[in-house]
Amino acid sequence: MKKITLAATALAAVAALALSGCSGGERGGDAGGASDAAGFAADSTIGVALPDKTSENWVLAGGLFEDGLEEAGFKGDVQYAPASNTVAEQQNQISAMVTNGAKVIVIGAKDGKQLGTQLQQAADAGVKIIAYDRLIENTENVDYYVAFDNFKVGQLQGQALLEGLEARSGHAAPWNIELFSGSPDDANSAVFFDGAMEVLQPKIDDGTLVVASGQTDIAQTATQGWEAENAQSRMDSILTSTYSSSDIDGVLSPNDNLARAIITSAKQAGKDISKITVTGQDSEVESVKSIMAGEQYSTINKDTTLLVEQTIKMIQQLQKGEEADVNDTEQYDNGVKVVPAYLLDPVIVTKENAAEAYANNPNLLEIVTAAQ
Ligand code: BGC
């Protein structure tokens, strides 16, 4: 399927070239032609539209973009969508960035399927779009994607769950587990889940793992808005309906914020959390503390500093009129095109390797050392 899309894209490109040749145009077609070749002024405005602050990484990213863009000589316009009316507010913010003359807009989408109109407006004005952390779907007007390798994040979570079950449950297989996934409006949610299920499904099929609630479909496991309270209440009902007289050995949680909600629910139900394996993602301060205290089992280190640095590097390349570096041209089909991506490597973190994993993060390293 991807090959077909790629071929179609290549054909379209050839057709566009042919057309511009026929019309005798020098700039290769419509909007953006001139700036493609020449780049843009080194002190241009760069928009950064981030979603609501559902994880610490989003909070960190805003500050890092402000400082990093200024240091690189750009004028940064960094905005968060507020927690309520988020989609509409983000749409308005992006439109305003286009109107105000931003040359590149970096977008951490609230709902990656609802930006078509705004991105058409951006393309018409020659503005380049970089999807940041979350893919933007169903539009051709997204130039690049920069993120940690989301599928690998899921695989690492699945592997960590298996390891933790073995190490903590106190008994041999079969193990009872439950599955949680992220918000359906975030393209990452399915990729994390698919990565994890690539590891877990064969073990469910051979009886090593039992999802006792029977809820294995992504629609059943979803956590609307990545809201902790939604995960907590789903966990509460699963524990009541399915585990009143049996043990739960593990939970696949897609991120730290939800992991802590799941742990709270299990503790309130009187479960021994030291025996339950709960995965996570983001290396949030409270989760690193929880891991060191023997509660949450694992997290993922996706160093926001590196992701923001890479994004700014891409912007600098575009400023010079170059193509931005990518290292993946296959994985991220957004429904209309395969978006060229730069993917960074996520790292799994447990109590075992925490000191090593956070060697370059004084804040987290201090928590780890204090707990050892
Ligand atoms: C990010 C995760 C984050 C989640 C909720 C995802 O798109 O990749 O790191 O935990 O959003 O904010």
Side-chain angles (χ1 to χ4, degrees):
M1 236 178 90
K2 278 172 188 161
K3 278 198 186 123
I4 292 172
T5 317
L6 273 174
T9 312
L11 273 179
V14 170
L17 271 179
L19 267 180
S20 67
C22 286
S23 66
E26 328 172 57
R27 288 178 178 172
D30 48 19
S35 61
D36 275 355
F40 47 82
D43 63 350
S44 295
T45 298
I46 307 297
V48 180
L50 298 171
D52 47 343
K53 301 174 180 174
T54 41
S55 308
E56 270 172 27
N57 51 2
W58 295 116
V59 180
L60 285 171
L64 290 167
F65 270 118
E66 265 167 17
D67 296 349
L69 287 170
E70 193 187 322
E71 219 166 280
F74 297 113
K75 293 185 206 73
D77 177 7
V78 180
Q79 310 222 15
Y80 283 95
S84 61
N85 208 17
T86 326
V87 174
E89 291 291 343
Q90 188 170 59
Q91 291 170 334
N92 293 339
Q93 287 171 343
I94 293 168
S95 284
M97 286 171 184
V98 175
T99 314
N100 294 337
K103 295 295 179 203
V104 179
I105 305 179
V106 176
I107 302 175
K110 168 62 184 175
D111 185 334
K113 289 194 177 73
Q114 295 204 52
L115 295 175
T117 310
Q118 292 68 36
L119 298 201
Q120 188 57 53
Q121 187 195 347
D124 292 345
V127 181
K128 295 281 186 199
I129 300 295
I130 301 178
Y132 172 87
D133 189 289
R134 299 175 172 176
L135 188 63
I136 300 171
E137 296 173 276
N138 298 340
T139 167
E140 63 181 323
N141 299 315
V142 48
D143 297 285
Y144 296 99
Y145 179 46
V146 61
F148 280 87
D149 184 335
N150 300 302
F151 193 77
K152 183 155 180 211
V153 167
Q155 289 175 315
L156 293 172
Q157 291 172 331
Q159 284 154 9
L161 181 57
L162 290 178
E163 273 170 33
L165 290 167
E166 188 98 48
R168 284 160 69 116
S169 67
H171 65 88
W175 291 293
N176 286 333
I177 62 158
E178 292 299 331
L179 308 170
F180 282 71
S181 57
S183 192
D185 51 17
D186 175 356
N188 283 350
S189 300
V191 186
F192 297 147
F193 193 70
D194 289 349
M197 290 308 270
E198 188 192 71
V199 177
L200 301 177
Q201 190 65 54
K203 302 288 179 189
I204 296 174
D205 294 342
D206 74 10
T208 306
L209 302 176
V210 178
V211 183
S213 69
Q215 298 178 16
T216 53
D217 190 86
I218 190 162
Q220 297 170 304
T221 62
T223 310
Q224 190 62 45
W226 287 100
E227 295 287 348
E229 61 189 34
N230 294 337
Q232 191 164 333
S233 64
R234 176 165 174 259
M235 185 68 180
D236 287 347
S237 19
I238 290 178
L239 289 174
T240 311
S241 64
T242 315
Y243 295 96
S244 56
S245 55
S246 60
D247 286 336
I248 176 163
D249 301 308
V251 182
L252 174 75
S253 165
N255 82 354
D256 284 350
N257 191 32
L258 305 189
R260 296 195 301 276
I262 289 162
I263 290 170
T264 302
S265 167
K267 281 183 173 174
Q268 282 172 1
K271 302 291 183 194
D272 178 357
I273 202 68
S274 70
K275 294 207 159 108
I276 305 175
T277 300
V278 182
T279 62
Q281 165 174 211
D282 294 335
S283 294
E284 297 203 342
V285 168
E286 288 311 312
S287 283
V288 173
K289 288 184 184 163
S290 171
I291 289 173
M292 297 317 289
E295 298 198 334
Q296 188 173 323
Y297 178 70
S298 65
T299 185
I300 302 272
N301 192 19
K302 301 198 301 186
D303 189 335
T304 308
T305 312
L306 296 181
L307 193 59
V308 171
E309 268 175 25
Q310 184 59 41
T311 313
I312 293 177
K313 206 188 269 178
M314 292 166 93
I315 297 168
Q316 287 173 315
Q317 290 171 323
L318 295 175
Q319 186 274 318
K320 293 194 199 105
E322 298 165 6
E323 290 290 323
D325 283 345
V326 295
N327 60 11
D328 177 275
T329 50
E330 282 179 12
Q331 284 190 62
Y332 286 95
D333 185 337
N334 79 348
V336 174
K337 71 187 263 196
V338 178
V339 183
Y342 196 101
L343 303 179
L344 301 179
D345 224 16
V347 175
I348 188 78
V349 185
T350 62
K351 202 172 176 176
E352 246 46 357
N353 72 336
E356 191 193 328
Y358 301 133
N360 296 324
N361 185 328
N363 224 1
L364 296 179
L365 190 59
E366 195 183 317
I367 296 169
V368 173
T369 339
Q372 273 171 344

